[in-house]
Amino acid sequence: MKKQTQHNRQTMNLLFTMLLFLVFVLSALFTVLIGGKVYENINSRVEENYSGQVVLNYVANKVRQNDKADSIAVRDIEGTAVLELAQEINGISYVTWIYYMDGSVRELFTNAGSGLGLEDGLEIIDSQGLTFRREGDILEVQVADQTDTRLLLNIRSGGRTDEK
């Protein structure tokens, strides 16, 4: 009788140990699964934010480099809003077009009368959209993403022809 009671205790101890181990393994598994989901969410938000910020910083730097009188304009070309940055190099007029087309932000740098079109631009970065609007000395650049990030730039030259 005593031997059977001792055997039952050993069995109960073994079952309790196995159950405790199972709870530990399940807890570790759920922790890893939840952590993976959290990492995935954070990573997708960072990628979305990165893309929008890169586009805005890129456009801001281009505008700052070309902030001269009569060199910055927003044009409608083939139904697409295009930021046009004009410059003269060694007596030849060049334009840089920055615009959104077919899922990416594009840039086209060419001389003013080359005849190249929007489809000839180089893809800079994938994006969901990019719009430009200029009112006076203020250029508004808006990236179409989940947060609709926008940037307001003050054109310092103001488009005055007396400044160079």
Side-chain angles (χ1 to χ4, degrees):
M1 189 70 153
K2 191 174 180 183
K3 195 174 192 180
Q4 191 172 6
T5 306
Q6 188 178 16
H7 181 67
N8 284 344
R9 249 189 240 153
Q10 285 179 349
T11 304
M12 291 300 285
N13 284 341
L14 181 64
L15 283 175
F16 179 74
T17 304
M18 293 301 261
L19 184 62
L20 190 61
F21 181 72
L22 180 65
V23 167
F24 173 74
V25 168
L26 289 176
S27 296
L29 179 66
F30 284 125
T31 302
V32 168
L33 290 175
I34 291 171
K37 191 66 172 171
V38 167
Y39 175 78
E40 184 179 311
N41 289 339
I42 290 172
N43 196 29
S44 68
R45 286 184 191 154
V46 166
E47 283 181 19
E48 290 169 10
N49 190 30
Y50 171 79
S51 175
Q53 289 300 317
V54 166
V55 170
L56 291 178
N57 288 333
Y58 174 77
V59 172
N61 284 329
K62 285 291 195 175
V63 167
R64 289 179 185 128
Q65 289 172 358
N66 290 286
D67 194 358
K68 298 176 189 88
D70 298 326
S71 65
I72 300 172
V74 176
R75 306 221 188 278
D76 184 87
I77 300 174
E78 300 173 14
T80 301
V82 174
L83 177 63
E84 182 177 86
L85 308 170
Q87 58 186 310
E88 191 172 309
I89 303 172
N90 295 330
I92 301 172
S93 295
Y94 292 94
V95 292
T96 300
W97 288 349
I98 300 172
Y99 54 95
Y100 172 79
M101 183 179 191
D102 296 333
S104 65
V105 175
R106 295 178 176 222
E107 178 183 335
L108 176 66
F109 176 77
T110 183
N111 61 2
S114 70
L116 295 176
L118 296 179
E119 58 279 346
D120 297 312
L122 299 174
E123 292 182 11
I124 302 299
I125 190 168
D126 291 337
S127 179
Q128 296 175 0
L130 178 66
T131 58
F132 303 100
R133 190 169 55 118
R134 182 171 177 184
E135 290 184 22
D137 293 346
I138 304 296
L139 174 66
E140 179 182 358
V141 182
Q142 186 165 9
V143 176
D145 57 9
Q146 291 182 347
T147 59
D148 284 333
T149 311
R150 71 182 188 137
L151 174 67
L152 297 175
L153 294 169
N154 184 22
I155 308 299
R156 289 207 234 154
S157 67
R160 297 188 304 252
T161 55
D162 60 344
E163 284 187 23
K164 294 288 177 181

Short mmCIF file of all heavy atoms in Angstrom, two decimals, residues 37-93:
data_model
loop_
_atom_site.label_atom_id
_atom_site.label_comp_id
_atom_site.label_asym_id
_atom_site.label_seq_id
_atom_site.Cartn_x
_atom_site.Cartn_y
_atom_site.Cartn_z
N LYS A 37 4.92 40.31 -34.16
CA LYS A 37 3.86 41.17 -34.70
C LYS A 37 4.13 42.64 -34.38
O LYS A 37 3.94 43.51 -35.22
CB LYS A 37 2.50 40.73 -34.13
CG LYS A 37 1.34 41.35 -34.81
CD LYS A 37 1.23 40.90 -36.24
CE LYS A 37 -0.05 41.39 -36.85
NZ LYS A 37 -0.09 41.14 -38.27
N VAL A 38 4.57 42.92 -33.16
CA VAL A 38 4.91 44.29 -32.78
C VAL A 38 6.05 44.81 -33.65
O VAL A 38 6.00 45.94 -34.16
CB VAL A 38 5.28 44.37 -31.27
CG1 VAL A 38 5.92 45.70 -30.93
CG2 VAL A 38 4.05 44.12 -30.42
N TYR A 39 7.08 44.01 -33.87
CA TYR A 39 8.21 44.39 -34.71
C TYR A 39 7.73 44.68 -36.13
O TYR A 39 8.15 45.66 -36.76
CB TYR A 39 9.27 43.30 -34.72
CG TYR A 39 10.38 43.59 -35.67
CD1 TYR A 39 11.39 44.50 -35.34
CD2 TYR A 39 10.44 42.98 -36.92
CE1 TYR A 39 12.41 44.79 -36.23
CE2 TYR A 39 11.45 43.27 -37.80
CZ TYR A 39 12.44 44.16 -37.46
OH TYR A 39 13.44 44.45 -38.35
N GLU A 40 6.87 43.85 -36.66
CA GLU A 40 6.35 44.03 -38.02
C GLU A 40 5.59 45.35 -38.13
O GLU A 40 5.76 46.09 -39.11
CB GLU A 40 5.43 42.85 -38.35
CG GLU A 40 4.90 42.86 -39.76
CD GLU A 40 4.02 41.65 -40.01
OE1 GLU A 40 4.45 40.52 -39.69
OE2 GLU A 40 2.91 41.84 -40.52
N ASN A 41 4.75 45.67 -37.15
CA ASN A 41 4.01 46.93 -37.16
C ASN A 41 4.94 48.13 -37.10
O ASN A 41 4.76 49.11 -37.83
CB ASN A 41 3.01 46.98 -36.01
CG ASN A 41 1.85 46.04 -36.20
OD1 ASN A 41 1.55 45.63 -37.32
ND2 ASN A 41 1.19 45.66 -35.13
N ILE A 42 5.92 48.08 -36.23
CA ILE A 42 6.87 49.19 -36.09
C ILE A 42 7.66 49.36 -37.38
O ILE A 42 7.85 50.48 -37.87
CB ILE A 42 7.81 48.96 -34.89
CG1 ILE A 42 7.05 49.11 -33.59
CG2 ILE A 42 9.00 49.91 -34.93
CD1 ILE A 42 7.84 48.71 -32.36
N ASN A 43 8.09 48.27 -37.96
CA ASN A 43 8.87 48.32 -39.19
C ASN A 43 8.05 48.93 -40.34
O ASN A 43 8.58 49.73 -41.11
CB ASN A 43 9.36 46.93 -39.55
CG ASN A 43 10.47 46.96 -40.56
OD1 ASN A 43 11.23 47.91 -40.63
ND2 ASN A 43 10.55 45.91 -41.37
N SER A 44 6.79 48.57 -40.48
CA SER A 44 5.97 49.13 -41.56
C SER A 44 5.74 50.62 -41.35
O SER A 44 5.77 51.39 -42.31
CB SER A 44 4.63 48.39 -41.67
OG SER A 44 3.83 48.65 -40.55
N ARG A 45 5.56 51.07 -40.12
CA ARG A 45 5.40 52.51 -39.86
C ARG A 45 6.67 53.27 -40.17
O ARG A 45 6.63 54.37 -40.72
CB ARG A 45 5.01 52.74 -38.40
CG ARG A 45 3.59 52.38 -38.11
CD ARG A 45 3.23 52.72 -36.68
NE ARG A 45 1.95 52.14 -36.32
CZ ARG A 45 1.59 51.84 -35.11
NH1 ARG A 45 2.42 52.08 -34.10
NH2 ARG A 45 0.42 51.32 -34.86
N VAL A 46 7.80 52.71 -39.81
CA VAL A 46 9.08 53.37 -40.09
C VAL A 46 9.30 53.48 -41.60
O VAL A 46 9.74 54.53 -42.09
CB VAL A 46 10.24 52.61 -39.42
CG1 VAL A 46 11.59 53.04 -39.95
CG2 VAL A 46 10.20 52.80 -37.92
N GLU A 47 8.98 52.45 -42.35
CA GLU A 47 9.15 52.49 -43.80
C GLU A 47 8.25 53.54 -44.44
O GLU A 47 8.68 54.28 -45.32
CB GLU A 47 8.86 51.11 -44.41
CG GLU A 47 9.97 50.12 -44.22
CD GLU A 47 9.68 48.78 -44.86
OE1 GLU A 47 8.80 48.70 -45.74
OE2 GLU A 47 10.34 47.81 -44.47
N GLU A 48 7.00 53.63 -44.00
CA GLU A 48 6.09 54.64 -44.52
C GLU A 48 6.60 56.04 -44.21
O GLU A 48 6.61 56.92 -45.08
CB GLU A 48 4.69 54.46 -43.94
CG GLU A 48 3.97 53.24 -44.43
CD GLU A 48 2.72 52.94 -43.65
OE1 GLU A 48 2.30 53.80 -42.83
OE2 GLU A 48 2.14 51.86 -43.84
N ASN A 49 7.02 56.26 -42.99
CA ASN A 49 7.52 57.56 -42.58
C ASN A 49 8.81 57.90 -43.33
O ASN A 49 9.00 59.03 -43.77
CB ASN A 49 7.75 57.59 -41.07
CG ASN A 49 8.03 58.98 -40.57
OD1 ASN A 49 7.57 59.96 -41.12
ND2 ASN A 49 8.80 59.06 -39.51
N TYR A 50 9.67 56.92 -43.49
CA TYR A 50 10.94 57.13 -44.19
C TYR A 50 10.71 57.59 -45.62
O TYR A 50 11.30 58.56 -46.08
CB TYR A 50 11.76 55.83 -44.17
CG TYR A 50 12.99 55.88 -45.04
CD1 TYR A 50 14.14 56.52 -44.59
CD2 TYR A 50 13.00 55.29 -46.30
CE1 TYR A 50 15.28 56.57 -45.38
CE2 TYR A 50 14.12 55.34 -47.08
CZ TYR A 50 15.26 55.98 -46.63
OH TYR A 50 16.37 56.03 -47.43
N SER A 51 9.84 56.91 -46.33
CA SER A 51 9.58 57.24 -47.72
C SER A 51 9.08 58.67 -47.86
O SER A 51 9.57 59.42 -48.70
CB SER A 51 8.55 56.26 -48.30
OG SER A 51 8.21 56.63 -49.61
N GLY A 52 8.11 59.06 -47.05
CA GLY A 52 7.56 60.41 -47.12
C GLY A 52 8.59 61.46 -46.76
O GLY A 52 8.71 62.50 -47.42
N GLN A 53 9.37 61.22 -45.73
CA GLN A 53 10.38 62.18 -45.30
C GLN A 53 11.50 62.31 -46.32
O GLN A 53 12.01 63.41 -46.55
CB GLN A 53 10.95 61.80 -43.93
CG GLN A 53 9.97 62.00 -42.79
CD GLN A 53 9.52 63.45 -42.68
OE1 GLN A 53 10.31 64.37 -42.77
NE2 GLN A 53 8.23 63.63 -42.48
N VAL A 54 11.90 61.23 -46.93
CA VAL A 54 12.96 61.28 -47.94
C VAL A 54 12.51 62.14 -49.12
O VAL A 54 13.26 62.98 -49.61
CB VAL A 54 13.36 59.87 -48.41
CG1 VAL A 54 14.18 59.92 -49.68
CG2 VAL A 54 14.13 59.17 -47.32
N VAL A 55 11.28 61.95 -49.56
CA VAL A 55 10.76 62.74 -50.68
C VAL A 55 10.74 64.22 -50.32
O VAL A 55 11.20 65.07 -51.09
CB VAL A 55 9.35 62.26 -51.09
CG1 VAL A 55 8.72 63.22 -52.07
CG2 VAL A 55 9.42 60.86 -51.68
N LEU A 56 10.22 64.55 -49.13
CA LEU A 56 10.16 65.95 -48.72
C LEU A 56 11.55 66.57 -48.58
O LEU A 56 11.79 67.70 -49.02
CB LEU A 56 9.39 66.09 -47.42
CG LEU A 56 7.89 65.80 -47.51
CD1 LEU A 56 7.24 65.93 -46.14
CD2 LEU A 56 7.21 66.71 -48.51
N ASN A 57 12.48 65.85 -47.99
CA ASN A 57 13.85 66.36 -47.85
C ASN A 57 14.52 66.53 -49.21
O ASN A 57 15.24 67.51 -49.44
CB ASN A 57 14.69 65.44 -46.97
CG ASN A 57 14.29 65.53 -45.52
OD1 ASN A 57 13.79 66.55 -45.06
ND2 ASN A 57 14.51 64.46 -44.79
N TYR A 58 14.29 65.61 -50.11
CA TYR A 58 14.85 65.69 -51.45
C TYR A 58 14.35 66.95 -52.17
O TYR A 58 15.14 67.71 -52.72
CB TYR A 58 14.46 64.42 -52.23
CG TYR A 58 14.87 64.45 -53.68
CD1 TYR A 58 16.18 64.22 -54.04
CD2 TYR A 58 13.94 64.72 -54.67
CE1 TYR A 58 16.56 64.24 -55.37
CE2 TYR A 58 14.31 64.75 -56.00
CZ TYR A 58 15.61 64.52 -56.35
OH TYR A 58 15.99 64.55 -57.65
N VAL A 59 13.03 67.15 -52.15
CA VAL A 59 12.45 68.32 -52.81
C VAL A 59 12.94 69.61 -52.14
O VAL A 59 13.30 70.57 -52.82
CB VAL A 59 10.91 68.24 -52.82
CG1 VAL A 59 10.30 69.53 -53.32
CG2 VAL A 59 10.45 67.07 -53.68
N ALA A 60 12.97 69.64 -50.81
CA ALA A 60 13.42 70.83 -50.10
C ALA A 60 14.85 71.19 -50.48
O ALA A 60 15.16 72.37 -50.72
CB ALA A 60 13.31 70.61 -48.59
N ASN A 61 15.74 70.21 -50.56
CA ASN A 61 17.13 70.48 -50.93
C ASN A 61 17.23 70.99 -52.37
O ASN A 61 18.02 71.89 -52.66
CB ASN A 61 18.00 69.25 -50.73
CG ASN A 61 18.31 69.01 -49.28
OD1 ASN A 61 18.40 69.95 -48.48
ND2 ASN A 61 18.46 67.75 -48.91
N LYS A 62 16.47 70.40 -53.27
CA LYS A 62 16.49 70.85 -54.66
C LYS A 62 15.99 72.30 -54.77
O LYS A 62 16.56 73.11 -55.50
CB LYS A 62 15.61 69.95 -55.54
CG LYS A 62 16.23 68.62 -55.84
CD LYS A 62 17.42 68.80 -56.74
CE LYS A 62 17.84 67.49 -57.35
NZ LYS A 62 18.91 67.66 -58.32
N VAL A 63 14.93 72.63 -54.03
CA VAL A 63 14.40 73.99 -54.07
C VAL A 63 15.41 74.97 -53.48
O VAL A 63 15.65 76.04 -54.03
CB VAL A 63 13.05 74.07 -53.32
CG1 VAL A 63 12.63 75.51 -53.08
CG2 VAL A 63 11.97 73.32 -54.10
N ARG A 64 16.03 74.61 -52.38
CA ARG A 64 17.03 75.50 -51.76
C ARG A 64 18.23 75.72 -52.68
O ARG A 64 18.79 76.81 -52.72
CB ARG A 64 17.47 74.92 -50.42
CG ARG A 64 16.39 75.01 -49.38
CD ARG A 64 16.81 74.42 -48.04
NE ARG A 64 15.69 74.42 -47.12
CZ ARG A 64 15.28 73.37 -46.45
NH1 ARG A 64 15.91 72.21 -46.58
NH2 ARG A 64 14.25 73.45 -45.63
N GLN A 65 18.63 74.71 -53.41
CA GLN A 65 19.75 74.86 -54.34
C GLN A 65 19.42 75.79 -55.50
O GLN A 65 20.30 76.44 -56.05
CB GLN A 65 20.16 73.50 -54.91
CG GLN A 65 20.82 72.57 -53.93
CD GLN A 65 21.02 71.17 -54.50
OE1 GLN A 65 20.61 70.88 -55.63
NE2 GLN A 65 21.62 70.30 -53.73
N ASN A 66 18.15 75.83 -55.88
CA ASN A 66 17.74 76.60 -57.06
C ASN A 66 16.93 77.84 -56.71
O ASN A 66 16.21 78.35 -57.56
CB ASN A 66 16.93 75.70 -58.00
CG ASN A 66 17.77 74.65 -58.65
OD1 ASN A 66 18.55 74.95 -59.55
ND2 ASN A 66 17.67 73.42 -58.18
N ASP A 67 17.02 78.32 -55.49
CA ASP A 67 16.23 79.47 -55.06
C ASP A 67 16.83 80.77 -55.60
O ASP A 67 17.55 81.47 -54.91
CB ASP A 67 16.13 79.49 -53.54
CG ASP A 67 15.05 80.45 -53.06
OD1 ASP A 67 14.42 81.11 -53.91
OD2 ASP A 67 14.84 80.55 -51.84
N LYS A 68 16.54 81.03 -56.87
CA LYS A 68 16.97 82.26 -57.54
C LYS A 68 15.75 82.87 -58.20
O LYS A 68 14.74 82.19 -58.40
CB LYS A 68 18.04 81.95 -58.58
CG LYS A 68 19.31 81.36 -58.00
CD LYS A 68 20.29 81.00 -59.10
CE LYS A 68 21.45 80.22 -58.55
NZ LYS A 68 21.23 78.78 -58.49
N ALA A 69 15.84 84.11 -58.54
CA ALA A 69 14.71 84.81 -59.14
C ALA A 69 14.22 84.09 -60.39
O ALA A 69 15.02 83.67 -61.24
CB ALA A 69 15.11 86.24 -59.49
N ASP A 70 12.93 83.90 -60.49
CA ASP A 70 12.26 83.29 -61.64
C ASP A 70 12.75 81.89 -61.98
O ASP A 70 12.71 81.47 -63.13
CB ASP A 70 12.41 84.18 -62.89
CG ASP A 70 11.76 85.54 -62.72
OD1 ASP A 70 10.72 85.61 -62.04
OD2 ASP A 70 12.31 86.52 -63.25
N SER A 71 13.22 81.15 -60.99
CA SER A 71 13.74 79.82 -61.30
C SER A 71 12.86 78.69 -60.76
O SER A 71 13.11 77.54 -61.09
CB SER A 71 15.15 79.67 -60.74
OG SER A 71 15.13 79.73 -59.33
N ILE A 72 11.86 78.99 -59.95
CA ILE A 72 11.01 77.95 -59.36
C ILE A 72 9.57 78.18 -59.78
O ILE A 72 9.02 79.26 -59.58
CB ILE A 72 11.13 77.95 -57.82
CG1 ILE A 72 12.58 77.69 -57.41
CG2 ILE A 72 10.18 76.91 -57.22
CD1 ILE A 72 12.84 77.86 -55.94
N ALA A 73 8.98 77.15 -60.38
CA ALA A 73 7.59 77.26 -60.83
C ALA A 73 6.90 75.91 -60.68
O ALA A 73 7.54 74.86 -60.70
CB ALA A 73 7.54 77.72 -62.29
N VAL A 74 5.59 75.96 -60.54
CA VAL A 74 4.78 74.75 -60.56
C VAL A 74 3.98 74.79 -61.85
O VAL A 74 3.25 75.75 -62.12
CB VAL A 74 3.84 74.67 -59.33
CG1 VAL A 74 2.93 73.46 -59.44
CG2 VAL A 74 4.65 74.63 -58.05
N ARG A 75 4.13 73.78 -62.67
CA ARG A 75 3.48 73.73 -63.97
C ARG A 75 2.62 72.48 -64.09
O ARG A 75 2.87 71.47 -63.44
CB ARG A 75 4.51 73.72 -65.08
CG ARG A 75 5.51 74.85 -65.02
CD ARG A 75 5.79 75.40 -66.39
NE ARG A 75 6.88 76.36 -66.38
CZ ARG A 75 6.75 77.63 -66.05
NH1 ARG A 75 5.59 78.09 -65.68
NH2 ARG A 75 7.78 78.46 -66.10
N ASP A 76 1.64 72.56 -64.97
CA ASP A 76 0.82 71.40 -65.30
C ASP A 76 1.28 70.93 -66.66
O ASP A 76 1.08 71.62 -67.67
CB ASP A 76 -0.66 71.78 -65.30
CG ASP A 76 -1.53 70.57 -65.55
OD1 ASP A 76 -1.87 69.88 -64.57
OD2 ASP A 76 -1.85 70.30 -66.72
N ILE A 77 1.90 69.77 -66.70
CA ILE A 77 2.40 69.21 -67.96
C ILE A 77 1.74 67.85 -68.15
O ILE A 77 1.88 66.97 -67.31
CB ILE A 77 3.94 69.07 -67.94
CG1 ILE A 77 4.57 70.44 -67.74
CG2 ILE A 77 4.43 68.39 -69.21
CD1 ILE A 77 6.06 70.42 -67.56
N GLU A 78 0.99 67.73 -69.24
CA GLU A 78 0.28 66.49 -69.57
C GLU A 78 -0.61 66.04 -68.41
O GLU A 78 -0.73 64.85 -68.12
CB GLU A 78 1.28 65.39 -69.94
CG GLU A 78 2.15 65.72 -71.12
CD GLU A 78 3.24 64.68 -71.36
OE1 GLU A 78 3.17 63.57 -70.78
OE2 GLU A 78 4.17 64.97 -72.12
N GLY A 79 -1.22 66.99 -67.71
CA GLY A 79 -2.12 66.68 -66.60
C GLY A 79 -1.43 66.30 -65.31
O GLY A 79 -2.06 65.85 -64.37
N THR A 80 -0.12 66.51 -65.22
CA THR A 80 0.65 66.18 -64.03
C THR A 80 1.25 67.46 -63.45
O THR A 80 1.83 68.26 -64.19
CB THR A 80 1.79 65.20 -64.38
OG1 THR A 80 1.22 64.02 -64.96
CG2 THR A 80 2.60 64.82 -63.17
N ALA A 81 1.11 67.61 -62.12
CA ALA A 81 1.73 68.76 -61.45
C ALA A 81 3.24 68.53 -61.39
O ALA A 81 3.70 67.52 -60.88
CB ALA A 81 1.17 68.92 -60.04
N VAL A 82 3.99 69.48 -61.93
CA VAL A 82 5.44 69.34 -62.04
C VAL A 82 6.10 70.55 -61.37
O VAL A 82 5.71 71.69 -61.62
CB VAL A 82 5.87 69.27 -63.52
CG1 VAL A 82 7.38 69.28 -63.66
CG2 VAL A 82 5.28 68.05 -64.19
N LEU A 83 7.08 70.27 -60.53
CA LEU A 83 7.91 71.33 -59.97
C LEU A 83 9.04 71.56 -60.96
O LEU A 83 9.82 70.65 -61.24
CB LEU A 83 8.46 70.94 -58.60
CG LEU A 83 9.40 71.95 -57.95
CD1 LEU A 83 8.66 73.25 -57.65
CD2 LEU A 83 9.99 71.37 -56.67
N GLU A 84 9.10 72.77 -61.50
CA GLU A 84 10.11 73.09 -62.50
C GLU A 84 11.15 74.01 -61.89
O GLU A 84 10.82 75.08 -61.38
CB GLU A 84 9.47 73.75 -63.72
CG GLU A 84 10.47 74.05 -64.82
CD GLU A 84 9.80 74.65 -66.04
OE1 GLU A 84 9.62 75.89 -66.06
OE2 GLU A 84 9.46 73.88 -66.95
N LEU A 85 12.40 73.58 -61.94
CA LEU A 85 13.52 74.36 -61.43
C LEU A 85 14.40 74.72 -62.62
O LEU A 85 14.98 73.85 -63.26
CB LEU A 85 14.31 73.55 -60.41
CG LEU A 85 13.49 72.94 -59.27
CD1 LEU A 85 14.34 71.97 -58.46
CD2 LEU A 85 12.93 74.02 -58.38
N ALA A 86 14.48 76.02 -62.92
CA ALA A 86 15.25 76.48 -64.08
C ALA A 86 16.61 76.99 -63.62
O ALA A 86 16.75 77.54 -62.53
CB ALA A 86 14.49 77.58 -64.79
N GLN A 87 17.61 76.78 -64.48
CA GLN A 87 18.95 77.29 -64.19
C GLN A 87 19.71 77.48 -65.49
O GLN A 87 19.37 76.90 -66.52
CB GLN A 87 19.70 76.36 -63.25
CG GLN A 87 19.85 74.95 -63.75
CD GLN A 87 20.48 74.04 -62.72
OE1 GLN A 87 21.51 74.39 -62.16
NE2 GLN A 87 19.88 72.89 -62.48
N GLU A 88 20.75 78.29 -65.41
CA GLU A 88 21.57 78.53 -66.58
C GLU A 88 23.00 78.10 -66.25
O GLU A 88 23.56 78.51 -65.23
CB GLU A 88 21.54 80.01 -66.96
CG GLU A 88 22.16 80.28 -68.29
CD GLU A 88 21.94 81.71 -68.74
OE1 GLU A 88 20.78 82.16 -68.72
OE2 GLU A 88 22.95 82.35 -69.10
N ILE A 89 23.56 77.26 -67.11
CA ILE A 89 24.93 76.77 -66.94
C ILE A 89 25.69 77.06 -68.23
O ILE A 89 25.30 76.58 -69.29
CB ILE A 89 24.95 75.26 -66.63
CG1 ILE A 89 24.12 74.96 -65.38
CG2 ILE A 89 26.38 74.77 -66.47
CD1 ILE A 89 23.93 73.48 -65.12
N ASN A 90 26.75 77.87 -68.12
CA ASN A 90 27.57 78.24 -69.27
C ASN A 90 26.73 78.79 -70.42
O ASN A 90 26.93 78.43 -71.59
CB ASN A 90 28.42 77.07 -69.76
CG ASN A 90 29.44 76.64 -68.74
OD1 ASN A 90 29.92 77.46 -67.95
ND2 ASN A 90 29.77 75.36 -68.74
N GLY A 91 25.74 79.59 -70.09
CA GLY A 91 24.92 80.24 -71.11
C GLY A 91 23.82 79.37 -71.69
O GLY A 91 23.10 79.80 -72.58
N ILE A 92 23.67 78.15 -71.22
CA ILE A 92 22.63 77.25 -71.72
C ILE A 92 21.57 77.08 -70.64
O ILE A 92 21.88 76.84 -69.48
CB ILE A 92 23.22 75.88 -72.11
CG1 ILE A 92 24.30 76.05 -73.18
CG2 ILE A 92 22.13 74.94 -72.60
CD1 ILE A 92 25.07 74.79 -73.50
N SER A 93 20.29 77.20 -71.02
CA SER A 93 19.18 77.07 -70.07
C SER A 93 18.82 75.60 -69.88
O SER A 93 18.62 74.86 -70.85
CB SER A 93 17.96 77.82 -70.58
OG SER A 93 18.22 79.20 -70.63
#
